[in-house]
Amino acid sequence: MTEYDAVVLAGGAARRLGGVDKPAVRVGGRALLDRVLAGCRTAGRTVVVGDRRATVRPVVWAREEPPGGGPLAALDAGVREVEAGAVLVLSADLPFLGEGTGSRLLDALTTAPDADAALLVDADGRDQPLVAAYRTDALRREMALLTTTHGSLSGLPLRLLTQGIRIVRVTAGPLASFDCDTWEDIAAARARIREHGNVLDEWITAVKAELGIELDVDTGVLLDLARDAAHGVARPAAPLTTFLVGYAAAKAVADGAADGAEASREAVAEASRKAAALANRWAAEAERDTAG
């Protein structure tokens, strides 16, 4: 994947939400803006256009002048702070944006040398210029041309941006471009992450974000360990055992026995294997004693 910066548009009046601070609305316990920032965490520089606020990671702040000038004016303010040759442009109301979406857009831009932008296409076939990767120079050139033509970017419709540039389109899953414009959208997003097939991954992701942990672990291994501890020892042993496994893995990292993300994951896996084997031995002893 090419090196890139990111611009996240986090202004707007949110009139359909009654004027609330939409980027701060929480879905799955995390602000919408923080969810988007997690989806572009590999950006070299992330510029957020909007009012300053606490965020899950450091960002560069920008603001269009005057505030409230619309998405083109906001994008122009953001791209002025970009340093990389490619920029991922995102709105701040995408609750299901994953890193894979940005990677696909940037890869599409890289493999289409004649294209100025790679735009996500939603399930209805509509272009999404605020879920897109742009060549920075082409984006700046088009912004300058629109400013010259119209005198100002303030109040101009976003569709003008893509009329003068060469585009490659990327189709993604229905949730990649799901945005939250209404309270019904918010409710739908919250319901989606509470579904049985999603809730565990969403919860683990939220906890890691809250604790500032970037380590990816095999949740299946930990769940198996919790089951073995609960059944083979005692039910309260499950959470305590998984906590101790995490502590042991963190200590291995701190002591230098594990270095790097892959080694850290292996440290968790190794501690889990040892604890699971202990729980199984514990259970086997109890079975023998009972049989005897």
Side-chain angles (χ1 to χ4, degrees):
M1 185 177 68
T2 186
E3 293 183 359
Y4 73 102
D5 288 345
V7 171
V8 181
L9 304 190
R15 293 182 181 88
R16 297 171 69 185
L17 288 172
V20 302
D21 182 10
K22 182 164 66 168
V25 172
R26 295 184 180 275
V27 172
R30 293 190 290 158
L32 283 171
L33 175 57
D34 284 341
R35 296 180 73 92
V36 173
L37 291 177
C40 59
R41 67 186 179 93
T42 55
R45 164 178 274 217
T46 300
V47 183
V48 178
V49 185
D51 293 333
R52 289 176 178 266
R53 66 193 70 219
T55 53
V56 71
R57 61 181 178 83
V59 300
V60 176
W61 292 98
R63 200 70 165 104
E64 74 275 20
E65 289 293 340
L72 279 181
L75 180 54
D76 185 59
V79 79
R80 292 175 187 273
E81 304 294 334
V82 167
E83 297 177 345
V87 54
L88 189 63
V89 174
L90 305 164
S91 61
D93 60 352
L94 303 165
F96 302 113
L97 180 77
E99 290 184 71
T101 297
S103 296
R104 289 188 62 191
L105 291 167
L106 290 160
D107 288 345
L109 187 64
T110 300
T111 55
D114 293 333
D116 297 317
L119 269 61
L120 196 73
V121 178
D122 68 16
D124 296 321
R126 293 172 299 199
D127 290 344
Q128 301 294 313
L130 296 186
V131 192
Y134 296 84
R135 299 194 193 280
T136 304
D137 288 345
L139 184 57
R140 286 178 173 151
R141 184 173 61 248
E142 189 62 20
M143 289 291 190
L145 179 60
L146 288 172
T147 300
T148 300
T149 302
H150 298 276
S152 170
L153 294 174
S154 184
L156 293 182
L158 186 60
R159 66 177 181 273
L160 294 178
L161 175 62
T162 56
Q163 291 180 356
I165 59 177
R166 296 163 296 184
I167 295 170
V168 59
R169 291 174 171 84
V170 175
T171 302
L175 294 180
S177 61
F178 182 95
D179 57 359
C180 294
D181 290 328
T182 67
W183 285 114
E184 288 77 13
D185 294 335
I186 297 291
R190 288 170 172 169
R192 174 78 183 185
I193 68 170
R194 290 195 298 268
E195 292 176 357
H196 177 71
N198 302 319
V199 65
L200 185 58
D201 286 341
E202 286 283 350
W203 171 248
I204 295 301
T205 299
V207 171
K208 290 192 294 185
E210 192 73 14
L211 300 179
I213 299 171
E214 294 187 1
L215 173 65
D216 291 327
V217 298
D218 188 338
T219 55
V221 168
L222 293 178
L223 288 174
D224 288 344
L225 169 60
R227 179 202 61 207
D228 292 342
H231 293 170
V233 183
R235 187 169 297 276
L240 293 173
T241 304
T242 52
F243 164 77
L244 292 172
V245 163
Y247 182 86
K251 188 174 185 300
V253 173
D255 291 346
D259 184 24
E262 183 61 35
S264 298
R265 285 192 291 270
E266 181 55 33
V268 173
E270 177 63 20
S272 297
R273 285 192 290 267
K274 289 180 179 178
L278 175 61
N280 289 332
R281 292 197 303 270
W282 189 293
E285 288 179 8
E287 290 175 2
R288 286 196 299 271
D289 292 344
T290 300

